[in-house]
Amino acid sequence: MNFTPVTAPSGASVTDTSNSGEIRLVDLTKKFGDTHAVKDINLTIPHGSYCCLLGPSGCGKTTILRMIAGHEAPTSGEITIGGTSVLGLPPVQRGTAMMFQSYALFPHLSIRDNVAFYLKMRGVGRDERRKRADEMLERVQLAHLRDRMPAQLSGGQQQRVALARSLITNPRVLLLDEPLSALDEFLRLQMRVELKTLQAELGITFVHVTHTQPEAIALADMVVVMDTGRIDQAARARDIYNSPATPYVARFMGAQNVLTGKVESIEGGIAKLKSARGETFELAPQKAAPAVGDDLSFSVRRDYITIHKRADAETQTATNSVLGTVDSIEYQGNFVKVSLQVPGLDTFVANVPDHDYFIEPIGPGDAVTASWDKKHAHVLDRVDTGASEPYAAH
Amino acid sequence: MPSSQDRRPWTFYVLSLLMLLFVLFLYGPMISVLVLSFQGPSASLNFPLRDPSLIWFDELFNPTRVGDVPGAFSRSLPLALVVMVLTVLISVTAGFGFRHRFRGSGPLFYMAIASLIIPGLVLSIGILVTAQFLGLSASWYGTALGAHLTWTLPFGLLIMFAILGRLSPSYEEAAFDLGASRWQSIKDVVVPIVFPGMIAVALFGFTLSYDEFPRSWLTVGTRNTLPLEIWTMTTNVTSPALYALGTVTTVISFFVIAVALGSIILIQRRRSK
């Protein structure tokens, strides 16, 4: 698709002088009855960035999107776009446009009339709005289908119509509610690229809600990982993936093993930890130095774990390793996912490069030692309280 | 595929026979009435049909010999149309009102539906007695209209519940998102989407009123509606004029249904063209 930047429609009054799409959420809270859908959220989404709100169902990400859009009023807190408060304003005056999960194309209107709906509401004459709707359809390469009805279009085509219908309002913020979830895998990957390209071309802020980790990582300049009603971490995709802030983020992103131990000594910037099961770990705290006696949790990426077979009698572990039994093996193409049963841990996974795996193949039931280099241990901000979080990726 | 797979099982023939009998039972009487309404001057009420003619249709519109059919029709038709309009207006607005949960919405809904289970004749007596107590006289455009609405409104409301239950709130949100006012969103989005359902409500309102007997019985006052007139005729008219009347009323009902269904199909076709 070749999207050219949308020009401001002539005659459309822009209520604010600033065209910045910077979104700021301040102490934002939303209660439904007695339950907090969202609690004390503080977040700044820079102008022109692609932001993904990531989290399991019911974590409040869609509620945040709907509050930015003006479809839900916050219980307390402030929302500003481009520096001015938008609370109480209708969507068009906020400069936002929302793409609904089901697309919500009007079933009784043709594709062209769907796209022209915004112009019709503003009283733009019939010829003028048809011309502009056709231009917009041209941009999403659907001009030839303009007289069709929504029900006659495929999922991918419907999505492009929904995009065209949103973009004709010339928004400074585009809000997308799980835009790819209704598409099949092949189309999803294709539309993912198109969304990213579109955002780069338009230069406006995109806020994209998703529960799929790879989608967020592939698209976003900024990933906001949410747990029930609060933000656990908001950072660049690479930081979320490599340096998760909390055990929840580490588990949710699915690429990390989380371990915990008590700090026994700190020497020369290296902390020695002992786990409840007697294993010993070493790591270099990146941020604040922990105190001796503190509990400390850290994560190690799955692909930094090395696995070796061991004799059953071998019960003593070296530093930076755990003993386990192979639970399952999944071939993934370029690597093999080896899931271990480690006493006291819910999950422990090693992603072994397929070349290495087939030099020394192991199978379910084999006793193994899993080890890693201390430079790969990443200290988490919060002590692990067990993998009680639902939806943790395995 | 082996040919034995293509052969139909014996149950197919049994069920086909059953279906055939059912269709005969459904339409046989209607066809008999239709055919016999063209009976000749022999005035026989039974088959066979001799010297086919239209004299009984002529008889029908000559009130001296049979009941006052044109008069009854001139009351039933406007009554059915008024009931239709009121049913659509009230059911649609009430249906939208019930979309948002409010205090007491549950009991209110069940109260609205409860009149479906009250026997029509009992209701007819009740309305007459109440009207007399209030010093009102029974009339087809007053008490009978109210009686018919007790029958058509619950149906209309139930249909609107089914229609609006499937109407995703995201359509209205999308309209709001695209700058539509509340009124524009109703006029340009909601009503066009639920329009086929509104036609269904209108159809129910019209037909239920047009051939309502029990609720009309005591509430029409001194002038009969068509079903009451037909009933009177069955007791004192012994000519094929009765059949001619049956044919005429059936044709009118079919016409109304055809118009309604035709407009629904037209709308659906426009949407999926």
Side-chain angles (χ1 to χ4, degrees), chain A residues 255-274:
Chain A
Q256 308 266 357
N257 294 297
V258 178
L259 296 136
T260 305
K262 193 183 283 291
V263 179
E264 299 228 299
S265 67
I266 302 171
E267 277 170 37
I270 300 291
K272 279 193 195 310
L273 275 67
K274 198 177 181 91

Side-chain angles (χ1 to χ4, degrees), chain B residues 19 26 50 67 78 80 85 88-89 99 119 123 142 147 158 202 210 238 245 264 267:
Chain B
M19 186 65 201
L26 208 61
R50 289 196 204 92
V85 170
V88 170
L89 280 179
R99 280 184 94 194
L123 199 85
L158 283 174
Y210 183 64
T238 49
L245 178 58
I264 292 178
I267 292 163

Side-chain angles (χ1 to χ4, degrees), chain B residues 14-189:
Chain B
V14 173
L15 290 173
S16 299
L17 186 69
L18 208 65
M19 186 65 201
L20 184 73
L21 287 174
F22 173 68
V23 169
L24 275 179
F25 185 77
L26 208 61
Y27 292 102
M30 214 195 297
I31 292 166
S32 302
V33 167
L34 181 81
V35 170
L36 287 175
S37 63
F38 295 99
Q39 187 66 281
S42 67
S44 167
L45 284 169
N46 298 317
F47 281 110
L49 183 70
R50 289 196 204 92
D51 314 320
S53 74
L54 292 171
I55 62 166
W56 302 111
F57 288 93
D58 185 45
E59 181 88 9
L60 199 60
F61 296 100
N62 175 3
T64 55
R65 301 209 13 216
V66 293
D68 179 20
V69 172
F73 181 69
S74 73
R75 286 182 284 277
S76 268
L77 188 66
L79 177 60
L81 289 173
V82 171
V83 168
M84 178 181 90
V85 170
L86 287 177
T87 304
V88 170
L89 280 179
I90 298 170
S91 307
V92 170
T93 46
F96 278 109
F98 273 111
R99 280 184 94 194
H100 309 282
R101 286 248 147 235
F102 53 89
R103 269 171 72 92
S105 63
L108 191 67
F109 173 69
Y110 290 116
M111 267 170 63
I113 297 302
S115 72
L116 281 181
I117 55 166
I118 300 169
L121 291 170
V122 174
L123 199 85
S124 193
I125 297 169
I127 289 177
L128 180 70
V129 170
T130 311
Q132 281 173 346
F133 176 73
L134 295 171
L136 302 167
S137 56
S139 64
W140 64 269
Y141 48 82
T143 42
L145 174 65
H148 284 196
L149 286 175
T150 65
W151 185 225
T152 59
L153 285 181
F155 273 107
L157 195 58
L158 283 174
I159 295 173
M160 285 314 294
F161 264 61
I163 303 280
L164 296 174
R166 282 181 303 177
L167 177 72
S168 161
S170 61
Y171 290 130
E172 285 149 281
E173 285 179 354
F176 180 56
D177 210 72
L178 295 166
S181 67
R182 187 106 184 87
W183 168 241
Q184 281 175 321
S185 136
I186 288 171
K187 178 173 73 76
D188 290 324
V189 175

Side-chain angles (χ1 to χ4, degrees), chain A residues 50-192:
Chain A
Y50 201 123
C51 172
C52 276
L53 300 180
L54 175 66
S57 319
C59 71
K61 58 193 191 299
T62 299
T63 305
I64 291 182
L65 194 78
R66 292 172 56 82
M67 285 193 286
I68 299 172
H71 293 302
E72 210 84 70
T75 307
S76 64
E78 175 68 277
I79 301 172
T80 65
I81 299 176
T84 46
S85 174
V86 295
L87 290 183
L89 293 180
V92 171
Q93 283 181 43
R94 291 176 183 223
T96 61
M98 181 150 164
M99 216 177 89
F100 291 82
Q101 188 174 7
S102 55
Y103 311 140
L105 297 178
F106 304 128
H108 60 294
L109 297 178
S110 69
I111 298 313
R112 178 201 252 165
D113 289 344
N114 259 285
V115 175
F117 188 84
Y118 163 77
L119 301 172
K120 190 182 178 196
M121 294 305 107
R122 298 183 78 84
V124 175
R126 185 184 147 117
D127 291 339
E128 168 75 8
R129 63 174 192 255
R130 286 201 162 173
K131 195 176 122 258
R132 276 207 249 152
D134 288 351
E135 283 168 12
M136 191 53 83
L137 281 169
E138 201 79 55
R139 268 185 208 142
V140 296
Q141 298 177 354
L142 284 177
H144 59 296
L145 297 176
R146 66 190 182 195
D147 293 322
R148 297 266 186 100
M149 304 305 275
Q152 296 167 293
L153 265 53
S154 71
Q157 290 169 335
Q158 289 187 12
Q159 195 192 41
R160 288 179 190 200
V161 176
L163 264 176
R165 189 178 67 171
S166 297
L167 292 176
I168 209 163
T169 66
N170 194 32
R172 49 184 172 163
V173 175
L174 186 66
L175 305 162
L176 307 109
D177 188 8
E178 310 230 0
L180 305 174
S181 63
L183 305 176
D184 64 51
E185 186 65 21
F186 177 76
L187 214 49
R188 186 158 41 229
L189 295 180
Q190 190 189 335
M191 285 310 294
R192 197 161 90 180

Side-chain angles (χ1 to χ4, degrees), chain A residues 310-391:
Chain A
R310 67 176 157 95
D312 281 339
E314 195 182 328
T315 51
Q316 204 61 38
T317 56
T319 299
N320 293 335
S321 69
V322 292
L323 301 181
T325 320
V326 176
D327 192 34
S328 66
I329 302 284
E330 264 182 13
Y331 183 58
Q332 305 274 350
N334 53 347
F335 68 91
V336 179
K337 180 182 171 190
V338 181
S339 301
L340 304 184
Q341 272 183 342
V342 176
L345 292 180
D346 280 334
T347 52
F348 194 94
V349 177
N351 290 345
V352 184
D354 78 322
H355 182 73
D356 297 354
Y357 176 83
F358 288 106
I359 290 173
E360 189 199 353
I362 44 173
D366 287 353
V368 293
T369 304
S371 54
W372 60 90
D373 192 294
K374 65 172 180 287
K375 74 180 178 204
H376 294 310
H378 164 76
V379 179
L380 302 171
D381 293 353
R382 210 174 286 164
V383 176
D384 189 18
T385 50
S388 57
E389 294 93 346
Y391 309 105

